[in-house]
Amino acid sequence: MAKAIDNATAVLISDIQTGDTHPNQMIATEAVRLAARGFVKLTATGDLAITSKAHRALRRFEKQNEIAVATEAVRGVIDEILVEPGAVTQHRAVWNAVGGPDKFERDTVLQALNVLKAEGVLNNHRTSGNNFQIFWKRADDVVPTPDFEEN
């Protein structure tokens, strides 16, 4: 997996992309730092240019920041939804509670739920093999699986 960029590198790449900073106007240490990571290259005319690798790194950085914001929003919603012991919720209910498609993409909220699962705050509970029957619960709660009759 690619090494994550820091905030200063993200700002510098963004400034170059928007035209606020010209690659040839960077200080030497910035240029060397970006070149060492493969984010700038030397063109045929001798100018510095940003690479596609830098564009991808910036997109990953922005996506990770969006997931971090969504995680905090989901954490707040979970505290409101999962109040009672044994309470469960579904992904769509959480997504709608944090603002739905107007605020976050569906996948971003799912990734935020998975971050909270990795932190040990949540766990998912499957009642069957159906993807629409995946419920989220607090990690320390015990939720019984219902028995289904077969026809």
Side-chain angles (χ1 to χ4, degrees), residues 61-108:
F61 178 80
E62 290 168 348
K63 184 67 175 173
Q64 289 303 316
N65 282 347
E66 185 180 347
I67 291 170
V69 170
T71 299
E72 291 311 310
V74 168
R75 189 183 312 270
V77 166
I78 289 298
D79 289 340
E80 295 171 7
I81 293 176
L82 301 180
V83 176
E84 298 177 16
V88 295
T89 187
Q90 286 185 306
H91 170 239
R92 182 170 287 283
V94 174
W95 183 40
N96 288 333
V98 296
D102 296 334
K103 189 153 184 188
F104 296 110
E105 292 179 8
R106 185 178 183 276
D107 189 53
T108 304

Side-chain angles (χ1 to χ4, degrees), residues 82-88 121 123 125 137-144:
L82 301 180
V83 176
E84 298 177 16
V88 295
V121 175
N123 233 336
H125 176 74
K137 63 181 182 115
R138 292 202 180 271
D140 52 351
D141 283 351
V142 176
V143 178

Side-chain angles (χ1 to χ4, degrees), residues 21-135:
T21 301
H22 192 274
N24 290 339
Q25 296 172 336
M26 288 187 295
I27 60 175
T29 56
E30 291 173 338
V32 168
R33 189 176 45 160
L34 292 181
R37 298 277 307 270
F39 295 155
V40 292
K41 64 180 177 183
L42 198 58
T43 64
T45 60
D47 291 332
L48 290 176
I50 197 116
T51 64
S52 60
K53 184 177 180 179
H55 294 290
R56 291 191 311 270
L58 185 60
R59 278 196 307 270
R60 277 192 308 272
F61 178 80
E62 290 168 348
K63 184 67 175 173
Q64 289 303 316
N65 282 347
E66 185 180 347
I67 291 170
V69 170
T71 299
E72 291 311 310
V74 168
R75 189 183 312 270
V77 166
I78 289 298
D79 289 340
E80 295 171 7
I81 293 176
L82 301 180
V83 176
E84 298 177 16
V88 295
T89 187
Q90 286 185 306
H91 170 239
R92 182 170 287 283
V94 174
W95 183 40
N96 288 333
V98 296
D102 296 334
K103 189 153 184 188
F104 296 110
E105 292 179 8
R106 185 178 183 276
D107 189 53
T108 304
V109 173
L110 182 58
Q111 288 175 337
L113 286 166
N114 282 318
V115 166
L116 292 175
K117 179 181 176 184
E119 289 178 3
V121 175
L122 294 176
N123 233 336
N124 55 0
H125 176 74
R126 291 176 174 259
T127 56
S128 74
N130 185 336
N131 283 341
F132 292 103
Q133 294 178 346
I134 298 175
F135 296 92

